[in-house]
Each structure stands twice: as structure tokens, then as C-alpha cells.
Amino acid sequence: MSDQASNPTNAYTVPSVSIATARTGASSKANLLGMRAMQERAYAKRGEQYLLIKSPPASGKSRALMFIALDKLNNQGLQQAIVVVPERSIGGSFADEPLSQSGFYWDWKVAPQWNLCNAPGVDEVRVAQSKVAAVRQFLASSDKVLVCTHATFRFAVDELGIQAFDNRLIAIDEFHHVSSNPDNKLGNQLGAFIARDKVHLVAMTGSYFRGDSEAVLGPADEAKFETVTYTYYEQLNGYQWLKSLDIGYFFYTGAYVDAVTKVLDPALKTIVHIPNVNARESLKDKQREVDEIMHGLGEWKGVDVATGFHLVQTPQGRVLKVADLVDDSDAAKRSRVLSSLKDPAQKDNRDHVDVIIALGMAKEGFDWIWCEHALTIGYRSSLTEIVQIIGRATRDAKGKERSRFTNLIAEPTAEQSAVTEAVNDMLKAISASLLMEQVLAPRYEFTPKDAGPQPGFVYNGGEGYQEGRTNVGVNEATGQYHVEINGLAKPETQEATRICKEDLNEVVTSFLQDKTVLERGLFDKENTLPEELTQLKMGKIVRERYPELSDADQEAIRQHAIAAMNITQQAKLALAQVDADSGGVAQGNTSLLDGVRKFVNVRDLDIDLIDRINPFDAAYAVLAKAMDEKSLRQVQASIAAKKVSISREDAVDLANRARAFKKERGRLPDINSADAWEKRMAEGVAAFARYKAQELAAQKSEASNG
């Protein structure tokens, strides 16, 4: 966030997280075949039949696919490659590339008639018939590559059948659009392709989770995919210019257009996403909102005839070029603005445009490398959408050292009749912020204490690995931390090991999308024990997500997920303390890794300690500073008023935890214990006994009535 010195009107912005990086340049360096680090990692797995590439925006997924597809066509005997993208505008990412000029064996070529994203007509059933006919012609031809949208592909599979695509590569970009839900057509079709087992699949995504909590693939299908993961941390750490990314939320009261100038710094290249017209924050007049944002920037001086950009003069005399992507009243005018933004001749011109104001556009696949600030008004229900918006600001560009994402959120106030709705919106925004912190954090390699040093890690700040203590190792090249935790459960099977290495963010996402977890963890701390969140709630989420795994594997995944989340959050608290002690000077100059080291190094880490930490302590500390105290108290009171009894499911879980307690201590938990968690386990045992008695009585009653 801008600090007060650089943006004096913005006195209340509290950074949610700031990640500082080493700027090694590694993610943009190419090898002898012209591949950057992520592409090289993906290409090494090119022989896999089912490949899932998880990699952030701007890391080069499109080109990675070109390398893999060309090898499959030339060396692995596949007939053709079909690239499937979510919308027509992204089809341009797969245009011809002379890869051989950078050292690769072949060039990427798509004949004009087979890039169906350029064909006229929208993707709906009536127009799609001509595109389906084109897919049929392509399959019968000797040409090698076709590019089409998800919609065109769905229609084509419906009409031509699964078997028509045998012995071909199907590559799906922005894979998070797929879902295992039976109503998701593309998800169903993929399931059928996997069952037939006659195609190769490459799936690519920058955010392998969905805003609606649906799984992208079913567990059985997901297990067939080999995963290539390239993290946000590696991507940012390997940049040449960008060295820090700040993520935060800013609360406002009244109309958002009155608050927007507090966070919209005209000195920064900014994309402003205004709320949907149906959103609570909207003024229900999108053009008025755009006009007021421009008015907040300065005095309107007309429109540039060549580009269609508005010219706005700031009070300091600078003329800003503002692109309005909201106004759709004049198709020709809108087309001119879009063409100006996409003008390849201006790609490297930082001064081409200053501010872009958008509603539904300029998100997924939109490439403006100079963007320094993504300012989003109102919460977004889809976490995926937020990740995509943040991705607009994380491109590396000459001279761009810092970028930021700000979510402007309406603060719940006593005067509002829709307090519940406001709280829901706020919880979703905080959930997104917390998830991004997890996505941006380095990857953790957790092992039990005394597991021994892992190759590639430097331990304890260069002192080396030490027996008898919980060690912390850093691998600067991969951005990984090896953290030893006393009493940590190890996964027993290959699949559970894979989940602990590759899928912890997905588990944490499910946890953060649980409204009860957020409400209790943030606003009802007096009546909520940390273990109810870390053990019961996370335990339930893991069981539901991986029902086929054993109890031991489920517990190992639970422990790894809570450790990843709590260590990140405690690191953030440690950094906030450093920041407070230094009067705000440290913010943005110290990395999340330093906070991890500070937290881990001051104690002997064990899993019981981690389970006793509320995962929302750090987020609450931010909220307490960012929100009006009266509003905060009101929200707490409204949530604490919802009395929570022990459900049957929680009673079963508590009884199981009590059984483990008895095995360890030789006695059952005591309901009068001074230890709150022991007392809660005992209450769970009593509740479980009541549920069993009620069920038994109901069965007897049924039997006697029968």
C-alpha cells in the first residue's frame, strides 16, 4: 500500500501482506532451447499422458504448452493438438511463434482457418454449428494445431463424440473453469476422455481452485495427473525489476466514489475495477461512477481522437490518459479504445496509458505489463477472479519495483439495515486476502524433528543443521522452506505425500471459504477455541475432500495444511511487530521469509503448539487497525449472538480426539479441566453419548410402533 508520506489522504490503509523478493532474474532467463525456468520444468514432464501445470499469470504457460505439444506431435506419435481457451481474446496467446530462432527444434504454427478464436460469431449454439463443422474438417485434415474456445470445444464433443478425438492432445487453458460438478459440461466430457484413455491432456491454470468451492477434478481423475508446480513466490523472486507486492483492504463508509481518491494514487499505473451494477456497492449508474472517478483524478480535458482515451489534468498539471472500458454505448468508440490498448507498437511504452477503468474486462489474460496497482471496488465472490486481477499487477517491467492490490470494501455500520450482508461481503474479501497470502508464501517442506538435512537447503541462517532442535532450512533457488515440527504425522501413501507437497493451498482454500470458520475465528474468539478450527473444522474439510484416504493420511494432511497456514500467519504477525517497532520503515523492505524465520527460531516447534494458534490472529490484528472500533464491536456482537451447539458430526470428532487423548494419557478428558481444549473434548464425549441415547430411544420407539 502507499504509505502516508506518498499518499497523505490515505491515512487508514493497512497492508495485509507485503512480500519482498530477491530479484534473481531466474524466472526470465532462457536456456539453450529458449525456455524460461517454468517452461523447462514443464517440458521435463512432456512424456506424461496427463499433465497439470499450476503456474501464476505471466509465467509463460502458453509457450510451455507449445514446447510440449510440438514434442508430442513430432516425437510421441500424436496426430494433432487442440488448444482450448476460455474466451476468444485469449486465443491470441497461441498465435505463431518462431521458437527455432531461440534454439528450439520446431516452430509453432497455426493455420489462420484453424484459429477459431478469430472466426466471426459468438460462442452459442446457433453460431457454433459452423465452428463445429470447422473442428470436424480439422480432425479429418493433416494439419496439426487448432485453437478454439471452451464453448466451441464442448459443442464439438457433443456432436462428434469422444472417440473422434482419439490419439490427439487436448490442452485446456485456464483449467479452473472446469469442475467435477455433474452440471459442469466440460468437466463431464473430461471425465469421459480420461475413462476412454485414448487422448493426452495438458491442463494449465494460474489458480487451481474455484470461487464456488467445487473440486476441479474428482479425486480418482486427479490422481492420474502428473503435476508441475511453479509458485508465485518463485515467479516473483526470479523477476528482474519487481521486488515487492502489497495486498490489502481499505474500508469506507458512504458512496465508494467519495473514498476512491484516498487509495487511487494518480502517480501509479492503475486498473480500477468498478462493482457490477447489481452489487451492493454500485451506484446503479456505471457511467456516472466512471465520470466521478475521473473527476476525483482532476479536470476532464477531452478525448484523444487517435486512441479514444480520456485526457484528465491533475491539480499538479499532469495530463493523465484514462481508458474507459465501461462505456459500451458506442461500439465503434469502445473498439477504438480496446485496439489502442492492444496496439503491439505501444507494448513497451510506459506512457501510452495511465489509468484503465473496467467492469467485466481487463482481468483474465489481459496483459498490461506497466500496471502497478489493481484497485478493486467491492468484494468479489470468486477467489479465482481476485487471483486473476492481482495477476494484472504482477508483470515484470523496467523500473517497476513495487506493485499492489487494494480491495475497497464497504464497512458494516450500525446505521446499515443489511449488516449481515455487509459482514458476508467483508468475510469474503478477508478470505481472498488470506488465501493470496498463502499463495504468495514460499512452499513449505515439513518433516518431523531430527529428519536430517534435505539437499539444497541452507539451515538456521547459515549455521548449519543441528541435531536435537527444530531446524529451518531455506532453498533460495526454489523459494522453499524446510521446517521441522516435533510430533508431525507423516503421510503414509504416495497420494497423501503428493497432496502434502502439491495441494496444501487447495485444502487451505476450502478452509478459508467456510463462512463459519471465518466468523468464529475472526469475531467470536472468546467462545471459540483454536483447536475447534485447527482440529475439528480442518479435520472435517480434509475428510470430505479426501474420503478415500486412511485416517492416518487424513490427519497428516490436516497437520500439514494447518502448519502451512499458521506459520505464514505468525510470520506476518512477527513482521507487523518489526514494522511497529521501526515506525513503519520496515514495511516492504523485509520479506515474509524473514517473518517465518523470526517465528520459528524463537521456539521449539511442535504440532500441539501449532494447533493451539488461532489461524486468524494476524488477520484480526489488521482488522482491529483498519476498522472503526464501534463497527468491529457490532460485528462481534452479531456473530457471538449466534449460539453454536455441538453438532453430531463434531461430537463424533471430539469423541475420536478424546480416544486418542486417553491412549496418550491413560485417562479420558476431564469436563472440569482447567485446559479449555480438554474440557471441550469431554463435552464432546457427553454430547456424543446424548446423540447415541436419542438414536437408541428412537429405534426402540420405531420397533414398538412397528
Side-chain angles (χ1 to χ4, degrees):
M1 302 298 99
S2 296
D3 56 26
Q4 280 175 259
S6 65
N7 191 2
T9 58
N10 181 6
Y12 303 104
T13 299
V14 181
S16 183
V17 69
S18 178
I19 180 170
T21 62
R23 290 197 297 188
T24 63
S27 55
S28 49
K29 280 193 189 108
N31 68 5
L32 294 174
L33 293 176
M35 296 176 193
R36 282 155 43 192
M38 185 284 284
Q39 295 156 354
E40 188 173 6
R41 188 176 301 173
Y43 189 67
K45 299 276 181 76
R46 63 192 179 278
E48 298 292 336
Q49 182 179 358
Y50 301 123
L51 190 59
L52 171 62
I53 301 172
K54 296 189 208 174
S55 185
S59 58
K61 290 190 290 294
S62 308
R63 192 164 289 204
L65 172 69
M66 294 176 191
F67 292 127
I68 292 166
L70 286 167
D71 188 86
K72 285 187 179 293
L73 292 170
N74 289 284
N75 290 333
Q76 297 178 41
L78 267 70
Q79 278 175 255
Q80 294 173 311
I82 297 167
V83 181
V84 188
V85 298
E87 57 186 65
R88 289 167 60 190
S89 62
I90 298 175
S93 303
F94 296 95
D96 289 5
E97 281 290 348
L99 301 176
S100 61
Q101 287 180 15
S102 303
F104 196 57
Y105 313 108
W106 310 281
D107 289 330
W108 175 259
K109 289 179 182 162
V110 185
Q113 74 268 32
W114 303 135
N115 192 336
L116 302 185
C117 293
N118 296 336
V122 291
D123 280 314
E124 46 119 289
V125 179
R126 282 169 306 153
V127 178
Q129 290 310 309
S130 64
K131 294 187 180 180
V132 169
V135 174
R136 183 189 281 110
Q137 286 168 0
F138 169 76
L139 294 173
S141 77
S142 59
D143 287 337
K144 293 298 179 188
V145 183
L146 176 128
V147 180
C148 68
T149 62
H150 286 189
T152 296
F153 184 71
R154 287 198 311 270
F155 296 136
V157 174
D158 265 353
E159 187 156 320
L160 307 176
I162 295 288
Q163 67 283 353
F165 297 85
D166 284 358
N167 198 36
R168 288 166 175 87
L169 167 65
I170 298 165
I172 298 167
D173 196 19
E174 307 298 357
F175 191 56
H176 52 267
H177 286 254
V178 177
S179 155
S180 57
N181 187 309
D183 297 332
N184 186 287
K185 193 68 183 260
L186 188 53
N188 275 342
Q189 290 174 343
L190 278 180
F193 277 119
I194 292 168
R196 184 168 169 79
D197 206 29
K198 295 281 175 111
V199 297
H200 285 215
L201 291 172
V202 174
M204 302 181 293
T205 179
S207 49
Y208 189 61
F209 41 79
R210 293 168 54 89
D212 57 9
S213 306
E214 290 281 359
V216 177
L217 280 174
D221 287 340
E222 189 171 319
K224 291 182 174 145
F225 279 78
E226 179 69 25
T227 307
V228 174
T229 305
Y230 190 71
T231 64
Y232 252 102
Y233 184 81
E234 285 179 275
Q235 168 78 349
L236 295 174
N237 208 46
Y239 274 166
Q240 192 176 349
W241 300 101
L242 186 64
K243 71 175 180 184
S244 71
L245 171 65
D246 302 330
I247 295 175
Y249 31 85
F250 180 85
F251 292 102
Y252 71 91
T253 51
Y256 84 79
V257 288
D258 299 329
V260 79
T261 50
K262 292 182 180 178
V263 284
L264 178 52
D265 185 341
L268 299 175
K269 302 291 183 184
T270 304
I271 298 179
V272 182
H273 281 107
I274 69 169
N276 183 287
V277 72
N278 298 317
R280 204 166 43 87
E281 295 86 357
S282 171
L283 305 183
K284 312 304 176 197
D285 182 347
K286 60 186 182 182
Q287 207 47 56
R288 179 191 146 204
E289 293 172 44
V290 173
D291 293 344
E292 293 213 25
I293 290 168
M294 286 199 283
H295 179 70
L297 288 168
E299 186 183 348
W300 186 75
K301 292 290 184 182
V303 174
D304 182 288
V305 180
T307 61
F309 299 160
H310 292 270
L311 303 174
V312 178
Q313 187 171 34
T314 69
Q316 293 74 32
R318 183 173 164 230
V319 175
L320 300 172
K321 297 164 192 165
V322 181
D324 175 5
L325 292 179
V326 176
D327 183 6
D328 51 8
S329 59
D330 183 335
K333 194 162 77 173
R334 184 186 178 92
S335 180
R336 187 184 323 130
V337 173
L338 271 171
S339 299
S340 301
L341 286 175
K342 291 179 177 176
D343 184 356
Q346 301 295 339
K347 187 178 180 184
D348 296 327
N349 179 6
R350 188 182 188 279
D351 298 322
H352 182 52
V353 67
D354 298 293
V355 177
I356 296 172
I357 304 174
L359 205 162
M361 302 180 80
K363 295 174 189 171
E364 198 167 79
F366 182 81
D367 195 5
W368 180 34
I369 62 170
W370 303 108
C371 176
E372 297 165 283
H373 188 188
L375 171 57
T376 299
I377 293 134
Y379 91 96
R380 293 299 188 264
S381 58
S382 164
L383 291 172
T384 312
E385 185 180 348
I386 287 166
V387 174
Q388 292 290 349
I389 290 171
I390 292 172
R392 301 318 101 210
T394 57
R395 266 50 176 178
D396 201 27
K398 187 175 182 179
K400 173 177 152 184
E401 292 206 338
R402 192 170 188 178
S403 66
R404 63 205 68 188
F405 166 75
T406 308
N407 200 176
L408 200 59
I409 309 161
E411 182 170 296
T413 61
E415 291 73 38
Q416 281 178 0
S417 54
V419 172
T420 310
E421 196 182 335
V423 170
N424 285 347
D425 291 357
M426 187 174 71
L427 286 171
K428 286 170 183 168
I430 294 166
S431 164
S433 173
L434 288 168
L435 175 66
M436 279 312 299
E437 289 173 15
Q438 206 59 46
V439 168
L440 287 167
R443 281 175 77 187
Y444 298 108
E445 181 88 22
F446 293 121
T447 64
K449 190 176 174 182
D450 291 334
Q454 308 288 306
F457 289 87
V458 175
Y459 286 90
N460 307 317
E463 293 173 20
Y465 186 90
Q466 295 166 28
E467 294 284 346
R469 65 170 283 186
T470 50
N471 290 274
V472 180
V474 186
N475 185 328
E476 295 288 357
T478 62
Q480 276 183 294
Y481 252 39
H482 172 214
V483 181
E484 291 190 324
I485 301 173
N486 201 18
L488 181 79
K490 287 179 72 173
E492 293 177 348
T493 62
Q494 201 174 342
E495 176 60 3
T497 304
R498 183 196 69 78
I499 292 162
C500 289
K501 277 187 182 297
E502 305 286 354
D503 288 355
L504 289 187
N505 279 349
E506 284 78 0
V507 178
V508 171
T509 302
S510 300
F511 184 73
L512 290 173
Q513 286 180 307
D514 187 307
K515 186 165 169 279
T516 310
V517 165
L518 277 164
E519 282 185 342
R520 297 285 151 196
L522 274 168
F523 297 116
D524 195 19
K525 294 165 73 163
E526 282 184 22
N527 302 311
T528 305
L529 298 172
E531 291 93 338
E532 291 182 75
L533 303 171
T534 60
Q535 293 193 17
L536 296 193
K537 295 296 186 187
M538 184 63 95
K540 178 173 181 274
I541 282 163
V542 172
R543 283 197 305 278
E544 287 176 352
R545 194 176 174 89
Y546 305 109
E548 74 289 353
L549 294 180
S550 68
D551 292 351
D553 272 345
Q554 288 172 350
E555 175 62 8
I557 293 165
R558 182 200 74 77
Q559 289 185 13
H560 279 69
I562 280 296
M565 189 173 175
N566 263 344
I567 287 174
T568 300
Q569 291 302 306
Q570 292 300 305
K572 193 177 91 176
L573 273 178
L575 281 184
Q577 191 56 54
V578 171
D579 203 26
D581 294 345
S582 64
V585 177
Q587 184 63 52
N589 297 327
T590 184
S591 75
L592 200 62
L593 292 176
D594 296 336
V596 173
R597 196 180 280 124
K598 279 182 173 56
F599 168 62
V600 175
N601 281 357
V602 293
R603 66 205 74 204
D604 197 28
L605 268 196
D606 66 61
I607 194 63
D608 291 342
L609 167 79
I610 288 168
D611 275 342
R612 282 197 296 272
I613 297 170
N614 182 327
F616 303 101
D617 280 348
Y620 182 80
V622 170
L623 269 182
K625 286 183 193 171
M627 270 183 87
D628 169 80
E629 192 180 338
K630 183 181 167 191
S631 300
L632 189 59
R633 278 206 308 271
Q634 181 204 355
V635 173
Q636 286 172 320
S638 71
I639 285 168
K642 298 179 187 175
K643 290 288 173 225
V644 179
S645 58
I646 297 176
S647 67
R648 191 191 188 288
E649 191 172 17
D650 283 353
V652 170
D653 205 358
L654 284 164
N656 287 335
R657 299 269 166 201
R659 205 172 288 125
F661 179 93
K662 184 183 179 187
K663 200 172 174 184
E664 200 178 291
R665 311 269 182 100
R667 64 177 178 83
L668 279 169
D670 182 357
I671 204 154
N672 298 311
S673 170
D675 180 88
W677 178 235
E678 182 178 343
K679 186 180 176 188
R680 185 56 55 93
M681 283 191 281
E683 289 169 354
V685 170
F688 180 62
R690 282 197 303 276
Y691 281 118
K692 291 299 283 182
Q694 286 164 6
E695 285 161 15
L696 204 61
Q699 284 168 6
K700 281 182 180 170
S701 170
E702 267 181 43
S704 60
N705 290 337

